Amino acid sequence: MPKTSDTRAQRPLIGRRAQAARNDELILSAARAVFLADAHAPIAAVAERAGVGIGALYRRYPSKEVLLRTLCSDGLRRYALEADAALRNTDGWQGLVDFLERVVDADVHSLTVHLAGTFTPDDSMLPAVARPADAIIRRAQSTGRLRPGVTAADLGIILESCAAISAPDPERTAHLRRRLLTLLVTGLTVDGELPGPPPEPAEFAWRWHRR
């Protein structure tokens, strides 16, 4: 006999709870589109795009700060899921390459590129990105294919570089991002010293200070 909690988890949401879940999905999707186009757009623009009342939006997200933080947290969750998949790959090098491709395709880092400096992030955000990336790098380096000296911050720069590419046609944007990623991944396998020290955590964190 299934546990009560399991039975509840399988029940579809109904009534107000279902409507609240739909509104939340609409709000987050709209917020992503609005703030990627203009990081300084008012929160009312999100409500308008989502087709929900401003009151319904504020009941879920009492401020723009909370909404932006939630958007970035959702991106981190996707990043973490892809990192877990990479760590399950028995081929450490292919796990790294697949990880980079999936994160680029999911467009996770567009939020970082566009929203850094517009709100105060949670202190756990940067370590949450660095820890799984460190493990992926160690496994890839153990195969002998990933050049020494590459760090999690280097991967961050690669992912942000791809996310910075934007064309009017979304499909063309995706193709150009994959093209750049392929070029950058080739550089990860080259022997020889990298110029200068790797990026420091503080060099990533400074962008998040309000401007």
Side-chain angles (χ1 to χ4, degrees), residues 32-211:
R32 180 182 175 87
V34 166
F35 294 134
L36 284 181
D38 178 7
H40 300 286
I43 200 168
V46 176
E48 181 179 358
R49 186 180 181 97
V52 302
I54 192 70
L57 190 153
Y58 273 119
R59 279 194 295 274
R60 181 68 182 88
Y61 302 100
S63 68
K64 182 178 177 180
E65 180 100 356
V66 173
L67 182 53
L68 290 173
R69 194 177 295 124
T70 302
L71 274 179
C72 284
S73 294
D74 282 352
L76 281 178
R77 278 192 286 274
R78 179 60 185 271
Y79 183 96
L81 286 173
E82 301 302 353
D84 287 343
L87 293 172
R88 289 195 299 271
N89 194 320
T90 56
D91 183 330
W93 169 254
Q94 194 57 50
L96 168 64
V97 174
D98 290 348
F99 166 73
L100 291 172
E101 290 178 349
R102 288 194 300 265
V103 173
V104 167
D105 290 346
D107 199 17
V108 170
H109 283 70
S110 282
L111 291 171
T112 301
V113 171
H114 288 83
L115 300 183
T118 63
F119 74 100
T120 304
D122 185 282
D123 289 341
S124 65
M125 287 176 62
L126 189 59
V129 171
R131 280 193 294 268
D134 285 338
I136 293 169
I137 287 170
R138 285 195 298 272
R139 293 179 77 247
Q141 286 174 332
S142 71
T143 69
R145 297 194 63 184
L146 177 62
R147 66 190 302 162
V150 174
T151 69
D154 290 314
L155 296 190
I157 287 178
I158 288 172
L159 292 167
E160 289 186 20
S161 297
C162 293
I165 295 175
S166 179
D169 178 13
E171 186 175 357
R172 183 58 177 152
T173 296
H175 289 162
L176 289 173
R177 288 176 176 178
R178 273 296 196 102
R179 181 182 174 87
L180 175 61
L181 179 60
T182 299
L183 291 170
L184 295 174
V185 166
T186 301
L188 292 175
T189 65
V190 176
D191 291 330
E193 297 244 355
L194 290 167
E200 296 289 341
E203 291 177 298
F204 271 75
W206 76 267
R207 300 167 304 165
W208 292 94
H209 296 309
R210 282 186 175 277
R211 295 193 290 272

